[in-house]
Amino acid sequence: MSGGRSITVLNVAEKPSVAKSVATILSRNQGLRVRDGRSRYNKIFEFNYAIRGQSCNMIVTSVTGHLMELAFEERYRKWHSCDPVQLFHAPVHKFVPEDKLDIKRTLEQESRRAQWLVLWLDCDREGENIAFEVVEVCTAVNHHLNIKRAHFSALIERDIHDAVQNLVQPNKWFADAVDARQEIDLRIGASFTRFQTLLLKDAFNIDSVTDDRNIVLSYGPCQFPTLGFVVERYWEIQSHEPEEFWTINCSHNSDDGISTFSWTRGNLFDYTCAVVFYEMCVQESTATVVNVRRQETLKYPPHPLNTIELEKRASRYFRMSSEHTMKVAEDLYQAGFISYPRTETDCFSQRTDLHGIVREQQEHQIWGAYAQRLLDPESRLWRNPSGGGHDDKAHPPIHPTKFSAGERGWSQDHHRLYELVVRHFLACVSQPAVGAVTTVEIDIAGELFSTSGRMILARNYLDVYRFESWGGSTIPTYVSGQQFVPTTLTLDSGVTRPPPLLSEADLLSCMDKEGIGTDATMHDHIKKLLDRFYATKDANTRFTPTNLGEALVMGYDDMGYNLWKPNLRAIMEHEMKAVSEGTKRKDEVLASCLQQMKTCFLDARVNKQKLLEAMEVFFERSNGSGGDENRAVGEVVQLCGLCQDSDMVLKRNRDGNYMVGCLGFPQCRNVVWLPGSIAEATVTSDRCTLCTPGPVYLIQFKFRQLEIPPNYNANHLGCVGGCDDILRQLTEICGTGSRVSARGRGTSSSNVQRDNPGQSVCIFCQQVGHSSNDCPSQSVGSRSAQRRQSGESSVSCSSCGSPCVLRTANTANNRGRKFYKCQSQECNFFVWEDNVDNGNGGNSVQRSNVRSSGSAPSNLNPGQNTGRGRGRGRGRGRDRDRDRGQGQIAATFVSATGEPISDRRCFVCGDPSHFANVCPNRGA
DNA sequence: GCAAGGTC
């Protein structure tokens, strides 16, 4: 019933592929004509159609994303043209950039003869904004255009026909929100980038970091929080303090095999408590099976694939960078093998022909057979996919759109990515894997232990999704009430480990969670970190901040700003939402947002010293930059014992605290932090007569009297070579001015020592691997040191009488502390070296020395963990040892890790050298 | 020489 004269309707889509789909669907592929436009990518489709009875000559074309850009007016473009703060107000304008002019000309040309303009842009905020850009271009040449918006949620027939028959008005609020976002991003980005680049680039020697390339120290509201995630994790790792924990393990060997039971209490951080439980178990060690549970468990296939999941999985399975993944995906999409790769959607529309997609894959040599099984109702392998709850209303999940057995010209990554998309799709429409899990619970002396085994009953989707596995494990059969004697019962220890560096997949998750970037841009932000030399990525796709990246974040953090955290973006997003919902006006949000950012900018400029100081931690001042020469170079104290290459010089950090650091920094990070109570320090020409290798120049210290105990002299000629007890004691008492010991941010724990023990050198013994607080050369006296030197071992095993060997403990509580241990595998004899002289188990050695740290309790050191309030009641090892009381410890048991347990005896034979579980007389 | 967002 198309009546009257035909009108010409210009339809504009966001991308060529959508223009083609819309034209194909509406024309039903009949009478569809295609011609070239001015732009080679954006074809023009023509056909006849009736909208609500009105006969129309339909012209369908496209743009390629945004048609316009936002930029400062010419006079502000040059970096030195204005004070960067002016960029918060400088006039900006929207214009069509050079590379989009062809598209603009096509739109103008087609608009002139059209009566209607129908906007088929993606149905999100950006799409709405692009719609208004198109409107601006088209109405500029034809004021009479009737503007309409088509709302569609998927490129499928019903939606597209519905959309064109129910045209609406474009939503200005949505477009306004994007306008505001663009302007804020531009003003903040340009002002801060110019500010920090001009401030820092030439003031420091950062060329080594940047390949001598002319670099820009950019700031952006997405790239900086992304960097923030990387730095925060890095700090978390650096500040991690390993904590020892204890657990009881039980194993049982039977004819059916071996079972390993783990303690249901898990890991205990209280050593004494763990020992009490352990002894209970050992003394009453018969195990009773109290529960045998069999349960069917399912392992579900993944949700349909969206962009972030594609990037994460390609990174995990193939170590492909997100940026490269998107490039390859784009190729596959352009060639028609996969659907549109930039989508948030992870659920299929009910109207998608899922079976049709599977049918296409039946002929594949490798996974074709699986596709055939899926389609066979007898196999009962099919399952309608469950969605992950995301839908951008514009694109379906990523799925194969055309069969391929591999194309000539595909790289290995093209093959891999296509395979991932196909296998993922086939997995989505498959039944979950089914397993039978058997859990056995046993009771030993009232303590519960459990073990479990899994049998895979049906692999289902795992047959095609080779990227995931679900291991099976078997355990012997147990019945409730059964009793047995454990084969081993051990008290084992472990230490907590820091989290790993962020992987690319982790980083994408952080960004997704905090709303940094969009599915189409996240990989760009990650790449930017690498391009700007803010971070590096290792072979395992894990990110480490560079000195430059860390310094920038540190600088802003020291100012007290969260500019490197996702908060700023979250606030902006919240404001944008208000604009898109019409509860706030664009101008209002722009004004308040920019005002706040401008205040922040001015404040940052006032505090620019913080940025400079943070940079100083990592970089040398460049020549003639006017930096404090004394601070940058310092006075030579000795040759660095770590790199053996550069001098160690006396320096002050920006907080005024003294340190002796290696000039080889940042390649060598050797540093000796000095007491925080130093008012002045000067390197003298006097050399230490004791410390080697020399020369080590003595330092004249002047301490702030009120900050040191009364029995110490405020003036002290000291040595950092390792011989100076007073200096060591004051360091322990007063703490150091180490930045890392004072920082401890970005983690849930408070101030903790962040020095990397692998990189710092002990002030006393000059050895790498521990700090002065844990220095073994200081914690045992000169007598024991002499003993070590002579190789003398005067302690004999109380059990077998063999001479003991001297070992050094490497546990958190007693790192560096020496102990004697029987060499025999059979004996568990153990005694701390510093208990030997008290008659605590040794037989011949006279103790000549008490632990010299006794006068300076380590918990006065603010950098230590005493103030962290972990609340687990763990004292440091040496304190705990004191608490135990001197002179009462007899031969002690050792655990698997060489830790003493108690002075108890084997309940079977009474021998103090072992527990009943390993008693040779057991069962005799 | 600056941002982030579309897309080719």
Side-chain angles (χ1 to χ4, degrees), chain A residues 332-379:
Chain A
L332 294 174
Y333 162 67
Q334 291 294 337
F337 293 106
I338 65 169
S339 61
Y340 189 66
R342 287 181 284 274
T343 175
E344 286 173 38
T345 311
D346 55 12
C347 49
F348 280 103
S349 148
Q350 293 208 325
R351 286 167 288 194
T352 311
D353 180 14
L354 301 170
H355 285 84
I357 302 172
V358 176
R359 265 196 299 275
E360 281 221 312
Q361 299 294 333
Q362 286 184 102
E363 51 181 301
H364 195 275
Q365 269 203 319
I366 300 170
W367 56 74
Y370 185 87
Q372 286 166 23
R373 263 174 66 205
L374 255 177
L375 293 170
D376 177 9
E378 297 270 295
S379 76

Side-chain angles (χ1 to χ4, degrees), chain A residues 300-305 348-349 352-359 361 370-371 373-376 379-386 399-400 421-432 460-462 464-465:
Chain A
Y300 283 93
H303 297 309
L305 197 58
F348 280 103
S349 148
T352 311
D353 180 14
L354 301 170
H355 285 84
I357 302 172
V358 176
R359 265 196 299 275
Q361 299 294 333
Y370 185 87
R373 263 174 66 205
L374 255 177
L375 293 170
D376 177 9
S379 76
R380 304 170 74 115
L381 186 55
W382 184 277
R383 166 179 159 274
N384 286 327
S386 63
H399 62 274
V421 170
V422 175
R423 286 188 188 268
H424 194 102
F425 175 78
L426 296 175
C428 285
V429 293
S430 300
Q431 289 290 343
N460 293 334
Y461 89 91
L462 289 173
V464 73
Y465 207 57

Side-chain angles (χ1 to χ4, degrees), chain A residues 48 123 130 205 248 257 276 307 313 347 406 477 503 700 794 814:
Chain A
N48 296 323
C123 295
I130 299 170
N205 293 326
I248 303 174
V276 169
T307 304
R313 287 175 191 263
C347 49
T477 310
S503 69
Q700 181 64 52
S794 350
N814 291 292

Side-chain angles (χ1 to χ4, degrees), chain A residues 7 59 68 95 137 186 217 464 520 525 563 650-651 722 731 766 777 795 808 810 825 880 898 905:
Chain A
I7 58 166
I59 300 171
M68 296 181 164
F95 67 104
V137 166
L186 174 66
L217 306 187
V464 73
H525 302 311
L563 285 170
L650 177 67
K651 290 200 244 185
T731 305
Q766 301 293 303
S777 76
V795 177
T808 305
N810 193 29
Q825 296 294 326
R880 197 183 61 209
R905 292 157 187 274

Side-chain angles (χ1 to χ4, degrees), chain A residues 434-452:
Chain A
V434 187
V437 174
T438 304
T439 309
V440 177
E441 226 170 44
I442 58 169
D443 177 312
I444 303 175
E447 287 303 296
L448 293 178
F449 297 78
S450 74
T451 188
S452 67

Side-chain angles (χ1 to χ4, degrees), chain A residues 303-314 316 420 424:
Chain A
H303 297 309
L305 197 58
N306 64 12
T307 304
I308 298 172
E309 274 304 310
L310 176 73
E311 291 173 352
K312 281 160 67 169
R313 287 175 191 263
R316 272 194 227 119
L420 172 59
H424 194 102

